[in-house]
Amino acid sequence: GRRRRGAQDRPAKAKQGAGRMPRSWPVLLWAPNVIGYVRIVLTFVGYHYAMHDWRLTVGTYVISQGLDAADGLAARLLGQSSTFGAVLDMVTDRASTTCLCIILGSLYPHLGAVLCALVTLDMFSHWYHMYASLKLGLGSHKECENALLRFYYKKPVLFVACAGTEFWYVAMYAAHFADAADYAGLVLRATLPIMLFKQVCNAVQLGVAMRIILEYDEQERQKAEKAA
C-alpha cells in the first residue's frame, strides 16, 4: 500500500526545514512540543471551570483542538518533527477527549456506559493500530492497506471526521446549559453522522490491527516451534 506519514514524524520534512530553526535546541523545547504543552494547560483550565462556566470551557477546549493543527504545521515549517512530538500529539488527543467524557458522564449519568464505550473504543483502536504499525515497521499509525482506513486518513476526510466528532462532544457538553441548549442541539444533530462515521472507522481500525498483531504472534509461535 501507499506509505503515508503523520505531520509530526516526517524525517524528510525535518531535513528540508532543518536550516530554518536552530536544531541545537532541546527537543523538549521545540515549538511543536511547546504548542502541545499549551494545549494541555488550556484543556485543564476548561475542565476546572466545566461545571460553572461553559463558555470558558468550550473556548479553551476548541482553541486546544485548533492548536492540534498548528503543531503539525510548526513541525513542517521549522523542521522540528520528532518522535516525542508525535507521541505527545496522539496522547494529548486521546486524553483531552477522555477527560471531556468524564465531565459528560457527571452531567449525563444515564449515558455513563455509552461514554465509557466510546472512550474504550477510541483507546483500543488507536493503541492497537499504533502497535501494529510499529510491528510492521511503518512510519505512522496512519498507514494501512484497508480501503476504508485509507479513505479515512486522507487529510480532508480525517480533518472533518476528527473536528466533527470533537464538536459533537463539545455540543453535548454545552447542551446541558440552558443558555446554550438551542444552538448546541443544532450542532449535535449536524455532527452526529460524522461522529458515528468515526466510530465505525475506529472499529474497523481496531479489527485490522488485531488481525495484524495476531498474525505476527502466529508467525513468532511457528518460528519458536521450528527452532525447538
Side-chain angles (χ1 to χ4, degrees):
R2 184 178 62 179
R3 293 178 63 98
R4 300 175 65 244
R5 292 186 178 273
Q8 283 275 32
D9 46 2
R10 292 190 179 107
K13 292 288 185 182
K15 292 178 182 177
Q16 292 173 10
R20 301 177 188 173
M21 197 77 177
R23 292 181 63 84
S24 58
W25 288 12
V27 174
L28 197 67
L29 299 179
W30 279 6
N33 300 334
V34 172
I35 292 174
Y37 310 147
V38 172
R39 291 185 62 201
I40 295 171
V41 172
L42 283 171
T43 54
F44 271 90
V45 169
Y47 300 147
H48 179 72
Y49 291 99
M51 300 302 174
H52 312 291
D53 191 337
W54 69 266
R55 291 180 177 83
L56 178 60
T57 298
V58 170
T60 54
Y61 192 87
V62 169
I63 292 173
S64 176
Q65 295 303 314
L67 289 175
D68 188 25
D71 61 1
L73 180 62
R76 292 191 297 272
L77 293 179
L78 303 177
Q80 293 186 343
S81 300
S82 65
T83 302
F84 178 86
V87 176
L88 176 66
D89 182 59
M90 179 181 175
V91 173
T92 301
D93 289 342
R94 307 280 71 75
S96 62
T97 302
T98 300
C99 290
L100 182 57
C101 283
I102 292 173
I103 292 171
L104 291 175
S106 67
L107 298 177
Y108 305 99
H110 61 290
L111 295 179
V114 174
L115 294 165
C116 287
L118 291 173
V119 169
T120 299
L121 177 59
D122 190 47
M123 292 287 188
F124 271 55
S125 175
H126 280 83
W127 284 111
Y128 263 90
H129 194 58
M130 173 69 82
Y131 202 80
S133 298
L134 292 174
K135 283 296 183 183
L136 290 176
L138 302 178
S140 170
H141 72 290
K142 299 178 182 178
E143 300 180 27
C144 184
E145 295 181 357
N146 180 273
L148 176 62
L149 296 184
R150 284 202 307 271
F151 172 74
Y152 171 63
Y153 278 120
K154 291 180 179 179
K155 287 184 178 180
V157 178
L158 182 62
F159 174 80
V160 171
C162 292
T165 299
E166 292 300 332
F167 273 112
W168 184 84
Y169 281 117
V170 170
M172 186 177 180
Y173 162 76
H176 178 78
F177 301 90
D179 51 344
D182 291 341
Y183 177 73
L186 292 175
V187 177
L188 267 175
R189 290 189 288 273
T191 55
L192 179 61
I194 299 173
M195 188 278 291
L196 293 176
F197 168 74
K198 190 174 189 304
Q199 304 318 308
V200 170
C201 290
N202 283 347
V204 172
Q205 181 174 262
L206 176 59
V208 169
M210 285 182 166
R211 176 182 57 80
I212 291 172
I213 293 175
L214 285 171
E215 289 176 354
Y216 173 84
D217 284 340
E218 282 296 324
Q219 292 173 0
E220 292 300 304
R221 181 185 63 81
Q222 292 172 10
K223 290 179 183 178
E225 288 180 351
K226 291 179 181 178

